[in-house]
Amino acid sequence: MPARAESVARARRLADDRLVRWQLGREVRDTVALVVSELFTNAVVHTGSGRVVCELRDQGGRLCIAVQDEGCPAAEPRLRHVDAEERGRGLLLVEAVCGAWGAHDARHGAGRVVWAELALDDVDGPDGPAPAGDFGTAGPC
């Protein structure tokens, strides 16, 4: 999607649509919406990208959320501990709700991938714990 602020809401909607098809419950969908919002917003605000790609993948009972930009300053994404600022807490939120997160250079092309993992067996779906099956791979969301 275009690396614009208005694309963040679209990324959230597309991710939610995918999770509904995978029959995941509201709690996991709300958590994914938060993570997608934070990672996508960081890619829009802190990189020189023209487009951003968001991908959801099943990783054996863990949901991986990956956001790839087209260009990033040389520094790694990092947690910012801020007191009075409204901005700068995105990765703190991601760290708080996910089991793991990190970043690596894009495997294809320029840019970085920032990813986060959410353990599905710790999140209840509409009929109890989320299923542990293979949800497949979503294309760009």
Side-chain angles (χ1 to χ4, degrees):
M1 283 183 275
R4 296 192 306 251
E6 58 270 16
S7 296
V8 176
R10 182 165 181 242
R12 272 194 316 266
R13 280 192 311 276
L14 290 169
D16 191 63
D17 290 347
R18 175 68 57 174
L19 298 176
V20 166
R21 282 188 298 237
W22 289 347
Q23 299 179 346
L24 293 175
R26 172 54 54 197
E27 186 178 346
V28 71
R29 292 181 6 235
D30 288 347
T31 301
V32 169
L34 172 67
V35 173
V36 166
S37 290
E38 296 302 335
L39 297 184
F40 203 100
T41 297
N42 282 350
V44 169
V45 172
H46 299 292
T47 73
S49 299
R51 76 181 189 115
V52 176
V53 176
C54 177
E55 184 178 38
L56 305 176
R57 290 185 312 268
D58 173 33
Q59 300 275 317
R62 296 180 327 265
L63 181 65
C64 182
I65 304 152
V67 174
Q68 180 176 340
D69 61 57
E70 293 180 319
C72 187
E76 290 277 327
R78 64 189 179 281
L79 296 175
R80 286 184 41 189
H81 298 280
V82 293
D83 293 322
E85 290 184 37
E86 174 93 12
R87 297 173 58 117
R89 296 187 180 117
L91 291 177
L92 287 171
L93 291 171
V94 171
E95 181 176 59
V97 300
C98 293
W101 74 275
H104 58 79
D105 290 334
R107 289 181 179 90
H108 305 287
R112 306 269 307 152
V113 175
V114 182
W115 57 269
E117 287 183 352
L118 179 62
L120 293 176
D121 52 353
D122 292 339
V123 182
D124 288 340
D127 300 316
D134 181 12
F135 300 113
T137 299
C141 64

